[in-house]
Amino acid sequence: MLSNDILLNAAGRFGTPLYVYDEAQINIQYASLKQAFRRSDVKIFYACKALTNVNILKILAQQGSGIDCVSINEVQLALKAGFTADRIIFTPNSVAFDEYLEATALNVNINIDNLSLLEEFGNHFGDGYPVIIRLNPHIMAGGNIKISTGHVDSKFGISIEQVQQIRDVMERTKVSVKGLHIHTGSEIKDLEVFVKGLELVLETTQFFPDLTIIDLGGGFKVPYKPDEVGTDMEALGEKLADAFEAFQQSSGKKFQVWFEPGKYLVSQAGYFLVRANIIKQGPSRTFVGVNSGFNHLIRPMFYDAYHKITNISHTEGELKTYNIVGNICETDTFAWDRELNEVRPNDILLFNNAGAYGFEMSSRFNSRCRPAEVLVSGDAMKLIRRRENLEDILQGVILD
Ligand code: LLP
């Protein structure tokens, strides 16, 4: 965990708003997964949609992680960071066949999530490019509906009830299926969701003779609120190992198990720092207006997500209740009725758990620049993305 002193120092050196990442925490998270899944043949593929700064990707590449990419540009970033093609999975949805062709030219693992593309892929490659298939297991799971992806009404995956249609395509085109994949949602604490998902997938394995991989996706919960607990990884590791061993005993089959965690690997490693611009006393609320907004951290407005906020400039100040708001031209509230040590203009406020889907979902709405990013590695602190400026905003605009 980074101390307030280090964070204040970063804010002083690089200005705010600022994302700061702690390399040690990423390594701790990765090691804890390896430890939890030690009984099974598990490979971790970091779901890099959570945070794609190439410097972060390099940390995970060095740890030996694989990487899960949802766009061809993410694949290119992964290659830049040093991941070899065999350690990259391409898991897009609703993309054109051309994007798959670009990915196959780079030799990465391909995950297909609809029947028509599977057919097109099979017609093109026959059995020459074995694929992973994303199944929709019809399981409702995840922190909220916007991040639930495995239920029957979700756009993701091929319904688990359409296995026969997949078999028909395999027969017609000779496409070879090396893996089955599910991802039911984000922020899943209930271990039974993973166990149930695995059971459903295992039931279908008999229909796929070339199968070597079962990919159980990501979605491990990290604690956002002070009284929350995350997914119990040790317990999950045990449960899954038991299930795989029982299956191996009854069927004689053994699979490699892949996971694609995003949040779990980078959320807690990330800190977001903003400065208080104004304190406004209204008739019913006191507002702290900061030099940022949902253009920089969209999770509270988009998912009603809770991020712990602390006034790290005035930790002994009297506790007061505030609405913490951003500077965007519409409702832009980071936190409602939140207790903070008294906030004065120019105090630095810290948001915890900002590593995943923080900078990555930022935008230039209101023509405000995106924040800078800093990486702390041991005693070293370095800028890994400079703050944007007006020139960045104008770049690409064609003027007469
Ligand atoms: N694998 C697939 C196929 C996914 O779609 C996702 C996330 C992951 C892995 C990683 O899930 P994680 O371990 O990070 O929960 N922006 C939202 C989260 C959306 C997740 C989308 N897919 C948020 O800020 O909560």
Side-chain angles (χ1 to χ4, degrees), residues 137-197:
H138 301 186
I139 294 178
M140 179 59 95
N144 66 65
I145 189 70
K146 286 189 186 162
I147 53 176
S148 297
T149 50
H151 58 88
V152 67
D153 294 320
S154 159
K155 69 168 178 167
F156 295 99
I158 303 175
S159 166
I160 199 148
E161 285 168 10
Q162 293 175 323
V163 166
Q164 188 51 48
Q165 275 112 303
I166 299 175
R167 298 257 300 156
D168 293 343
V169 175
M170 287 164 65
E171 207 159 301
R172 275 199 297 277
T173 67
K174 305 290 171 258
V175 66
S176 157
V177 176
K178 67 174 180 179
L180 292 175
H181 168 254
I182 54 169
H183 170 77
T184 50
S186 194
E187 295 183 29
I188 303 168
K189 200 178 111 193
D190 181 2
L191 305 185
E192 289 314 311
V193 168
F194 293 98
V195 175
K196 180 80 193 144

Side-chain angles (χ1 to χ4, degrees), residues 47 49 68 134 183 186 219 260-263 299 303 357 361:
K49 69 194 83 179
D68 175 43
R134 179 170 186 169
H183 170 77
S186 194
E260 304 156 354
K263 271 180 194 161
R299 301 192 74 255
Y303 307 110
Y357 310 105
M361 292 180 80

Side-chain angles (χ1 to χ4, degrees), residues 14-252:
F14 302 103
T16 55
L18 184 72
Y19 277 96
V20 181
Y21 309 115
D22 177 14
E23 175 167 359
Q25 189 66 43
I26 297 175
N27 291 338
I28 288 171
Q29 298 299 111
Y30 185 78
S32 73
L33 288 181
K34 296 298 282 183
Q35 173 68 13
F37 293 124
R38 63 194 174 279
R39 274 179 59 201
S40 312
D41 182 11
V42 164
K43 281 201 184 332
I44 304 296
F45 291 77
Y46 166 51
C48 73
K49 69 194 83 179
L51 177 60
T52 54
N53 188 301
V54 175
N55 295 275
I56 302 292
L57 304 188
K58 279 183 178 168
I59 296 171
L60 285 153
Q62 276 156 18
Q63 289 289 327
S65 178
I67 188 163
D68 175 43
C69 302
V70 291
S71 70
I72 198 70
N73 289 339
E74 283 190 357
V75 172
Q76 293 291 1
L77 293 177
L79 290 167
K80 218 178 216 355
F83 289 92
T84 49
D86 58 313
R87 289 200 291 155
I88 299 176
I89 324 174
F90 182 52
T91 311
N93 78 91
S94 302
V95 296
F97 188 60
D98 285 356
E99 200 168 322
Y100 275 107
L101 286 181
E102 281 184 68
T104 56
L106 298 169
N107 254 326
V108 301
N109 295 288
I110 298 287
N111 188 328
I112 294 194
D113 97 328
N114 77 70
L115 280 167
S116 57
L117 274 175
L118 183 65
E119 182 115 31
E120 200 167 352
F121 198 96
N123 285 334
H124 194 91
F125 291 101
D127 63 357
Y129 204 119
V131 295
I132 299 167
I133 288 185
R134 179 170 186 169
L135 294 174
N136 180 329
H138 301 186
I139 294 178
M140 179 59 95
N144 66 65
I145 189 70
K146 286 189 186 162
I147 53 176
S148 297
T149 50
H151 58 88
V152 67
D153 294 320
S154 159
K155 69 168 178 167
F156 295 99
I158 303 175
S159 166
I160 199 148
E161 285 168 10
Q162 293 175 323
V163 166
Q164 188 51 48
Q165 275 112 303
I166 299 175
R167 298 257 300 156
D168 293 343
V169 175
M170 287 164 65
E171 207 159 301
R172 275 199 297 277
T173 67
K174 305 290 171 258
V175 66
S176 157
V177 176
K178 67 174 180 179
L180 292 175
H181 168 254
I182 54 169
H183 170 77
T184 50
S186 194
E187 295 183 29
I188 303 168
K189 200 178 111 193
D190 181 2
L191 305 185
E192 289 314 311
V193 168
F194 293 98
V195 175
K196 180 80 193 144
L198 173 61
E199 279 169 8
L200 289 172
V201 174
L202 287 176
E203 279 169 23
T204 67
T205 55
Q206 54 179 309
F207 302 112
F208 300 95
D210 304 332
L211 208 62
T212 54
I213 300 156
I214 291 186
D215 180 342
L216 294 174
F220 308 137
K221 180 167 173 52
V222 296
Y224 282 98
K225 293 186 180 151
D227 55 350
E228 266 179 350
V229 283
T231 312
D232 183 343
M233 298 311 306
E234 279 291 322
L236 181 61
E238 292 300 313
K239 271 182 188 291
L240 294 183
D242 288 346
F244 274 108
E245 280 165 22
F247 181 77
Q248 193 186 344
Q249 262 170 17
S250 62
S251 70

